[in-house]
Amino acid sequence: MRIGVSLEYSGGFHEAVDRVVELEKAGIDIAVVAEAYSFDAVSQLGYLAARTTRIELASGVVPIYLRTPSLLAMTAAGLDFVSGGRFNLGIGTSGPQVIEGFHGVAFDAPLGRTREVVDICRRVWRRERLQYAGKHYQIPLPADRGTGLGKPLQLINHPVRERIPISIAALGPKNVELTAEIAEGWQPVFFYPEKAASVWGQALATGGAKRDPALGPLDVIVGTSLAIGEDVEDRLAWTKPQLGLYIGGMGARGRNFYHNLATRYGFGDVANRIQDLYLSGRKQEAIDAVPDELARGISLIGPRGFIAERLAAFADAGVTTLLVRPLTADPAEAVRYVEELLALYL
């Protein structure tokens, strides 16, 4: 299992990169930069590429609706170039709350668009003259929809690699099945090791049965919060605002993927309560309603012995890349947490 770090959406980016540089020397394998309705991930990944030398870099994730497939491919090739072949492209659909609410773009056909985006990216990296007649993307644009002057083009530059690894953020059964079929990696959220197989096992098996062997084994990339010590129980509460926001507020009733996931984990009644509270404006009560069991199950918070047990649980559940987010305001403590985790695992 590879060990890496994920950088926050907002605030303190330069300080976070300073820690990544230090942790690269300590032995981490990868650093991931997220993108939501925050600063874009691409500019920050370019900065991170200039500050690091060995570790892999990845987006976690860039939404497919916000860039054309060709631009996604160009961007990934550019980041792979400036990092010397160290970039992994993490993509996802995000959700209607962000795509429609912040960007004003219709959230439609997530499965079909994801499949076509992956296909187009790989064609661009192979420097094919791009002719694509998909259901959702047509390149060049047909004459009846444009000027008729568009001609097939190929990427001018020669990419460092013609196959840049792609990971997909997916939660629903069909999305996970598609990911297991076509992507090098999978980025689930709120991963609960003991419950993962019952939620995603069938989808992973179905998609894996259609998988091209050339893709290699699926890289299961999981993010989790981290605090190691005998006196870190209070950090469990630090995980709950995000859970409360996502389960309660990231989508309307019936269209909240994270609420659905909590329900599939067996927390349906409390997920409904969190959503009721959050959507009625009682956000702190929604956060307080997040159960300790859920917060603890998806995190690495506790003394060294407990952390070792949880590491084994993540590995047994098939996790191959573990991205940690230290729960501390002290930069030195953040580094210490990760170094202790590396010592426990390695």
Side-chain angles (χ1 to χ4, degrees):
M1 193 163 58
R2 299 187 302 169
I3 303 294
V5 293
S6 55
L7 279 68
E8 291 289 343
Y9 291 130
S10 61
F13 180 77
H14 289 93
E15 295 80 5
V17 171
D18 289 342
R19 291 195 291 275
V20 170
V21 171
E22 190 172 347
L23 289 169
E24 181 179 42
K25 298 172 185 175
I28 64 166
D29 301 296
I30 185 171
V32 175
V33 178
E35 182 174 282
Y37 43 102
S38 53
F39 289 151
D40 74 289
V42 175
S43 58
Q44 297 179 84
L45 282 159
Y47 179 79
L48 196 56
R51 292 289 309 278
T52 57
T53 59
R54 177 188 58 81
I55 58 172
E56 293 186 26
L57 306 174
S59 52
V61 297
V62 291
I64 61 171
Y65 293 96
L66 310 184
R67 300 166 176 87
T68 67
S70 298
L71 178 57
L72 266 175
M74 292 164 60
T75 299
L79 286 170
D80 206 44
F81 172 73
V82 297
S83 66
R86 294 185 285 130
F87 179 66
N88 294 353
L89 176 62
I91 59 173
T93 59
S94 188
Q97 178 104 354
V98 173
I99 301 306
E100 296 183 355
F102 188 67
H103 294 283
V105 176
F107 184 89
D108 67 340
L111 287 171
R113 288 188 182 277
T114 299
R115 184 182 288 276
E116 291 187 14
V117 164
V118 171
D119 191 11
I120 293 167
C121 281
R122 288 174 176 157
R123 292 178 186 222
V124 170
W125 297 331
R126 292 195 297 265
R127 299 190 71 245
E128 296 180 7
R129 289 198 176 274
L130 196 56
Q131 293 181 285
Y132 196 82
K135 181 178 180 180
H136 307 287
Y137 300 101
Q138 295 83 46
I139 308 170
L141 199 66
D144 61 355
R145 292 178 52 203
T147 64
L149 298 177
K151 302 298 181 184
L153 299 173
Q154 66 183 149
L155 189 68
I156 293 174
N157 310 88
H158 289 261
V160 175
R161 295 178 290 176
E162 71 170 24
R163 174 61 75 82
I164 296 170
I166 295 174
S167 61
I168 299 175
L171 291 180
K174 291 297 183 183
N175 307 67
V176 173
E177 180 181 327
L178 176 68
T179 299
E181 177 190 349
I182 68 171
E184 281 87 356
W186 171 43
Q187 294 191 46
V189 70
F190 304 144
F191 188 91
Y192 198 132
E194 289 80 2
K195 298 177 183 290
S198 64
V199 173
W200 291 304
Q202 185 58 57
L204 289 168
T206 302
K210 296 179 283 186
R211 184 178 182 82
D212 183 346
L215 290 171
L218 184 69
D219 186 12
V220 180
I221 306 165
V222 168
T224 185
S225 300
L226 175 69
I228 303 177
E230 300 294 334
D231 56 351
V232 296
E233 185 68 15
D234 63 309
R235 309 297 167 86
L236 200 63
W238 293 30
T239 69
K240 293 186 178 183
Q242 185 185 41
L243 284 163
L245 167 64
Y246 277 70
I247 295 171
M250 289 299 282
R253 297 182 196 279
R255 298 194 73 188
N256 184 321
F257 309 132
Y258 312 99
H259 177 281
N260 294 345
L261 176 60
T263 299
R264 293 167 72 197
Y265 276 162
F267 298 96
D269 289 342
V270 72
N272 289 338
R273 174 165 173 73
I274 292 167
Q275 188 173 63
D276 288 343
L277 290 167
Y278 206 97
L279 294 180
S280 65
R282 298 156 67 185
K283 296 180 180 180
Q284 187 56 54
E285 291 180 63
I287 292 167
D288 293 340
V290 173
D292 285 356
E293 180 187 351
L294 176 58
R296 195 183 308 279
I298 65 171
S299 304
L300 292 173
I301 300 173
R304 291 171 62 90
F306 177 76
I307 298 299
E309 292 174 4
R310 297 309 294 158
L311 275 173
F314 278 99
D316 290 344
V319 175
T320 51
T321 299
L322 190 66
L323 305 172
V324 299
R325 179 173 63 92
L327 297 179
T328 177
D330 181 352
E333 189 171 54
V335 171
R336 178 174 64 79
Y337 283 165
V338 179
E339 289 178 337
E340 287 191 22
L341 183 71
L342 289 167
L344 277 172
Y345 187 70
L346 302 176

